[in-house]
Amino acid sequence: MGKNRTAVIIGAGIGGITTAVYLAKKGYSVSIYEKNSSPGGRCGQLIHEGHRFDLGATMLMMPGIYHEVFDSLGIELKEGSDIIRLRDLYTIFFDDCSHLVFSSDRERMKQQLENIEPGSFEKSEEYISKGYRIFRLSIDKLIGRNFYNLFQMVNLKNVPLLFRIKAFTSHYNFARRFFKHPHLLMAYTFQNIYVGQSAFDAPALFSMVPAAELSEGSFFPSGGGMFRIVEKMLNAAEKEGVQFNYSAPVKQVIITGKKAEGIILEDGTRIKSDIIVANADLPYVYRNLLPDKKKSIHLDKLKYSCSAICFHWGLDKVYPQLDHHNVFLTDGFREGLDRIFRNKSVSENPCFYVHAPVRSDREAAPANNDTISVAVATGHIDKNYKQDWDKIIERTRRAVIDRLKRQGLEDIEHHIKFEICHSPEDWENACNISRGSVFGSLGHNIFQMGYFRPHNRHDKYKNLYFTGGSTHPGNGIPNVLLSAKLVSERIFKETIAEE
Ligand SMILES: Cc1cc2nc3c(=O)[nH]c(=O)nc-3n(C[C@H](O)[C@H](O)[C@H](O)COP(=O)(O)OP(=O)(O)OC[C@H]3O[C@@H](n4cnc5c(N)ncnc54)[C@H](O)[C@@H]3O)c2cc1C
């Protein structure tokens, strides 16, 4: 089908590489142009002084989607060897220093939940079963399919469906039907931050995230963390003959009439191609690489996900108080989210996440050392809310360290050998993510999902396609893998129609 056809992909994120494998397998001659010197984008890796850090994604959840995509490409992803099931998903620490381990061990969950709120185990089971039903339904009807026209999404048959997937109820309000204790309300809704939104604004559709986590479990790619997923895809791409060009930023997409003819690199090189797939952030591509600015102005008015400050620490001590994945939730949960989403800043007492992979992977740090990454959700860059990011970073670092000290890591400050920090501005510069909105970049309310999310093909230039977190279906590695599958299906369908 794609014999003698060429495809250029802009960006070697997981979305770009996966799309390349799909296209190459159908006979396309595929070349990827990546601005950075290494692949992975927001699923990249950094190794420093023997410490190995996942720069963005750290959790492998929704394994079924990984299997679906890997199987369809003939790439092996074996549970037990390639990916290891974690006994527990994560430990949630509360402000009063109590904790709750989210585990797929039901007995353990029962004991912990009943201690916090009598009757809550049964409620949790109900919440998970409802959320998991929403997950399956969403995969079939919303997330796992292409929308070629508006009526496939908006029709009389789908109206009850939108109610069934809880598209119009806020996630936090939905959780209130099940739990009363503030710790449980936070524990079952904070996951909205994975897609860069507040549990108070996001639809209850996202109850599917904790439900999928608790139903299907959480995994760790052995021998290297999430970057192993990128490496597996890279190997498959190289086997299929995909050409990788690093440190090769694309400056422009060449447009003639209604066709994208090719690309121009920063150094002036022109490359012609039959189709072009942009894995780079979609609003950035419309704004910076394409001539027509009308759509870009429209995209600018949409809602964007939040950003993150990340601290990567190499420590000369191991702290047994930490689990592999740790979530610190604070009492001012709502105020904290409002500071992020309304003030585009971060609270003085923020919630945060700590990745401590040495617990599952000894090789992630030198012997008796620890490798720790802290991610704090923050407001995205907004010209109407100018922030002094250096000051915010200093204040946030202090707050994180103070909180860790209260959890028993008293001397942590003295054991940080080195620190690498990524601010919202760093994210924007490193991967060309609009506003540093690393979880999307566009938000995931129902009016920015499905057919309403910017499409995976340009409306006017019909051989210019999009893949990755900023197009359909959305952010997070499972969604991005699906986006690669869906855009490839679309390309194949439209190629057959042309032939
Ligand atoms: C802090 C953080 C934590 C996360 N945690 C998780 C998690 O635990 N689990 C999970 O599933 N997901 C997680 N995610 C989300 C996940 O990392 C992303 O959804 C995913 O990596 C996005 O992949 P992508 O291919 O869409 O985009 P990207 O990774 O952004 O790839 C796009 C690529 O395009 C390149 N590019 C941009 N402009 C140009 C240009 N002009 N020329 C050439 N190349 C260009 C960029 O450099 C980049 O390499 C996390 C994200 C962050 C930031």
Side-chain angles (χ1 to χ4, degrees), residues 15 34-36 42 56-59 250 279 284 432 468-469 475-477:
E34 164 59 51
K35 76 181 266 288
N36 293 329
R42 281 171 282 165
T58 57
M59 287 185 190
V250 176
N279 172 220
Y284 155 83
N432 283 336
N475 183 63
I477 306 289

Side-chain angles (χ1 to χ4, degrees), residues 185-198:
L185 286 166
M186 287 193 272
Y188 284 85
T189 59
F190 82 85
Q191 298 84 353
N192 272 116
I193 219 71
Y194 300 173
V195 284
Q197 56 192 6
S198 161

Side-chain angles (χ1 to χ4, degrees), residues 23 42 87 200 280 306 309 351 354 390 402:
L23 297 182
R42 281 171 282 165
R87 198 169 46 97
F200 295 92
C306 66
I309 295 173
C351 297
V354 178
D390 288 343
D402 287 348

Side-chain angles (χ1 to χ4, degrees), residues 149-388:
N149 61 61
L150 175 65
F151 301 106
Q152 288 178 318
M153 178 143 168
V154 184
N155 58 49
L156 278 179
K157 233 169 68 197
N158 277 357
V159 173
L161 173 77
L162 289 173
F163 283 95
R164 271 164 69 206
I165 63 171
K166 306 278 178 270
F168 305 113
T169 314
S170 98
H171 189 184
Y172 197 85
N173 276 344
F174 180 64
R176 273 198 174 121
R177 296 182 198 166
F178 301 83
F179 311 107
K180 286 194 185 64
H181 198 290
H183 286 179
L184 297 185
L185 286 166
M186 287 193 272
Y188 284 85
T189 59
F190 82 85
Q191 298 84 353
N192 272 116
I193 219 71
Y194 300 173
V195 284
Q197 56 192 6
S198 161
F200 295 92
D201 302 326
L205 160 70
F206 288 99
S207 58
M208 70 174 161
V209 180
E213 286 181 329
L214 284 162
S215 305
E216 296 189 354
S218 174
F219 291 77
F220 181 72
S222 53
M226 285 302 279
F227 191 66
R228 284 292 295 137
I229 298 297
V230 174
E231 285 177 329
K232 273 193 159 286
M233 237 0 128
L234 267 177
N235 290 341
E238 277 163 2
K239 246 191 229 157
E240 295 294 337
V242 174
Q243 277 193 357
F244 285 86
N245 303 274
Y246 295 110
S247 305
V250 176
K251 187 171 70 175
Q252 193 185 322
V253 176
I254 309 165
I255 300 293
T256 311
K258 287 188 173 181
K259 205 166 171 233
E261 299 277 359
I263 55 167
I264 307 178
L265 302 183
E266 283 289 351
D267 68 6
T269 311
R270 296 169 83 91
I271 298 122
K272 289 218 152 197
S273 184
D274 295 319
I275 62 163
I276 291 152
V277 185
N279 172 220
D281 178 56
L282 183 144
Y284 155 83
V285 171
Y286 274 90
R287 192 173 56 248
N288 293 62
L289 307 187
L290 289 171
D292 177 7
K293 298 292 170 237
K294 224 165 95 195
K295 174 83 176 180
S296 186
I297 293 166
H298 163 72
L299 289 171
D300 209 33
K301 292 184 185 141
L302 298 183
K303 286 201 185 316
Y304 284 69
S305 76
C306 66
S307 188
I309 295 173
C310 297
F311 301 102
H312 302 289
W313 293 332
L315 303 175
D316 60 12
K317 181 175 175 180
V318 181
Y319 288 93
Q321 294 89 339
L322 294 176
D323 203 345
H324 182 144
H325 298 292
N326 310 269
V327 179
F328 287 79
L329 297 176
T330 59
D331 286 346
F333 186 57
R334 175 155 210 163
E335 293 75 43
L337 289 169
D338 285 348
R339 287 291 288 278
I340 296 170
F341 293 95
R342 308 225 189 290
N343 305 113
K344 310 294 182 320
S345 181
V346 59
S347 107
E348 279 74 18
N349 183 25
C351 297
F352 58 94
Y353 160 76
V354 178
H355 187 223
V358 166
R359 279 103 198 114
S360 310
D361 181 9
R362 250 304 345 142
E363 305 285 302
N368 304 318
N369 279 217
D370 221 344
T371 290
I372 284 188
S373 299
V374 177
V376 188
T378 68
H380 58 232
I381 299 163
D382 187 325
K383 56 182 183 307
N384 298 318
Y385 294 84
K386 284 229 156 58
Q387 304 292 0
D388 181 341

Side-chain angles (χ1 to χ4, degrees), residues 324-475:
H324 182 144
H325 298 292
N326 310 269
V327 179
F328 287 79
L329 297 176
T330 59
D331 286 346
F333 186 57
R334 175 155 210 163
E335 293 75 43
L337 289 169
D338 285 348
R339 287 291 288 278
I340 296 170
F341 293 95
R342 308 225 189 290
N343 305 113
K344 310 294 182 320
S345 181
V346 59
S347 107
E348 279 74 18
N349 183 25
C351 297
F352 58 94
Y353 160 76
V354 178
H355 187 223
V358 166
R359 279 103 198 114
S360 310
D361 181 9
R362 250 304 345 142
E363 305 285 302
N368 304 318
N369 279 217
D370 221 344
T371 290
I372 284 188
S373 299
V374 177
V376 188
T378 68
H380 58 232
I381 299 163
D382 187 325
K383 56 182 183 307
N384 298 318
Y385 294 84
K386 284 229 156 58
Q387 304 292 0
D388 181 341
W389 288 110
D390 288 343
K391 252 199 190 142
I392 291 180
I393 287 169
E394 201 183 308
R395 190 184 81 206
T396 304
R397 183 180 191 276
R398 188 72 265 146
V400 168
I401 288 179
D402 287 348
R403 179 67 191 88
L404 291 174
K405 280 182 173 178
R406 280 207 293 122
Q407 206 61 47
L409 289 75
E410 283 105 359
D411 56 356
I412 187 161
E413 225 169 337
H414 306 296
H415 290 279
I416 300 176
K417 293 190 296 177
F418 64 85
E419 172 176 298
I420 295 155
C421 173
H422 291 155
S423 68
E425 285 164 340
D426 295 326
W427 282 114
E428 187 176 42
N429 295 330
C431 295
N432 283 336
I433 308 288
S434 303
R435 306 184 196 185
S437 304
V438 284
F439 302 101
S441 55
L442 295 161
H444 300 77
N445 59 63
I446 196 65
F447 300 109
Q448 290 185 190
M449 291 182 75
Y451 184 80
F452 300 126
R453 200 162 179 81
H455 305 163
N456 55 11
R457 193 196 66 186
H458 196 283
D459 290 340
K460 189 162 150 203
Y461 317 129
K462 308 249 189 255
N463 62 335
L464 171 57
Y465 294 88
F466 298 92
T467 185
S470 47
T471 183
H472 176 62
N475 183 63

